Amino acid sequence: MARGITDIVSDTAKKTWMMRAFSLTRVPLLFMCSPKVTRMDDERCEVIIPFRKIVKNHLNSMYFGALAIGADTCVGFLAFDKIQKSKKNISLVFKDFQVNFVKRAEADTLFVCEAGAAIDELIREVITTGERHHKTIPAKAFAKGELVAEFALTLSLKLK
């Protein structure tokens, strides 16, 4: 049986291109960081931002703005994917953002969100009540296998 291009391309590659298309048209700064989805399932989203000149600061480590983009992306993209699967018209914004920098990120940096169940619960609350709800979602960043930052992003969802 003949296979189409969508059968040949991995699911993570499809997710990466979907994210890049969105970012090119809606959030160009995200596009400039060249994030890549390395894993995406019901519970977890992993995104890597390559350590390139555009994301470096004057100390040759990843600029904190690029670290914030990585955290935003791994949490937001997991929530976005789940919202799409719910087939409901739900708006997604972040209410606040907290970070604890552990050490300098001096290499490609992996951002991980393992809060799929918490996001599912938040989406159910929003659909059930029809009102805006918030939940703080954790994420972590790793460079060279070592923890470099811990994040807490408050995800705010509402039916449109």
Side-chain angles (χ1 to χ4, degrees), residues 17-80:
W17 285 108
M18 188 171 76
M19 180 189 344
R20 288 196 181 161
F22 170 81
S23 67
L24 182 61
T25 59
R26 304 287 176 111
V27 189
L29 188 56
L30 171 60
F31 183 81
M32 298 286 293
C33 291
S34 302
K36 179 182 176 186
V37 177
T38 58
R39 179 178 170 186
M40 177 79 120
D41 56 40
D42 281 340
E43 187 55 32
R44 182 180 181 114
C45 179
E46 295 181 2
V47 174
I48 194 163
I49 293 183
F51 191 61
R52 302 177 309 134
K53 183 175 181 159
I54 199 155
V55 301
K56 290 181 187 179
N57 63 20
H58 62 289
L59 300 172
N60 203 35
S61 61
M62 190 170 282
Y63 178 60
F64 80 92
L67 291 164
I69 286 171
D72 170 296
T73 303
C74 72
V75 173
F77 203 62
L78 182 57
F80 179 77

Side-chain angles (χ1 to χ4, degrees), residues 3-144:
R3 293 183 349 162
I5 190 74
T6 57
D7 296 327
I8 297 169
V9 178
S10 73
D11 191 45
T12 54
K14 291 176 199 172
K15 300 281 187 195
T16 296
W17 285 108
M18 188 171 76
M19 180 189 344
R20 288 196 181 161
F22 170 81
S23 67
L24 182 61
T25 59
R26 304 287 176 111
V27 189
L29 188 56
L30 171 60
F31 183 81
M32 298 286 293
C33 291
S34 302
K36 179 182 176 186
V37 177
T38 58
R39 179 178 170 186
M40 177 79 120
D41 56 40
D42 281 340
E43 187 55 32
R44 182 180 181 114
C45 179
E46 295 181 2
V47 174
I48 194 163
I49 293 183
F51 191 61
R52 302 177 309 134
K53 183 175 181 159
I54 199 155
V55 301
K56 290 181 187 179
N57 63 20
H58 62 289
L59 300 172
N60 203 35
S61 61
M62 190 170 282
Y63 178 60
F64 80 92
L67 291 164
I69 286 171
D72 170 296
T73 303
C74 72
V75 173
F77 203 62
L78 182 57
F80 179 77
D81 189 59
K82 290 178 168 294
I83 289 168
Q84 281 192 319
K85 289 176 181 173
S86 78
K87 304 216 186 300
K88 299 290 183 182
N89 197 4
I90 297 174
S91 67
L92 176 159
V93 296
F94 290 105
K95 185 178 178 201
D96 63 35
F97 182 98
Q98 298 171 19
V99 63
N100 176 38
F101 296 110
V102 177
K103 66 182 302 183
R104 292 175 19 167
E106 299 176 319
D108 292 355
T109 303
L110 178 68
F111 298 85
V112 179
C113 175
E114 298 177 303
I119 294 170
D120 285 335
E121 180 184 322
L122 179 60
I123 291 170
R124 280 192 299 275
E125 289 174 11
V126 168
I127 293 169
T128 301
T129 66
E131 296 180 13
R132 178 175 298 280
H133 287 270
H134 319 285
K135 186 172 288 284
T136 300
I137 306 296
K140 293 182 179 180
F142 301 88
K144 298 180 183 175

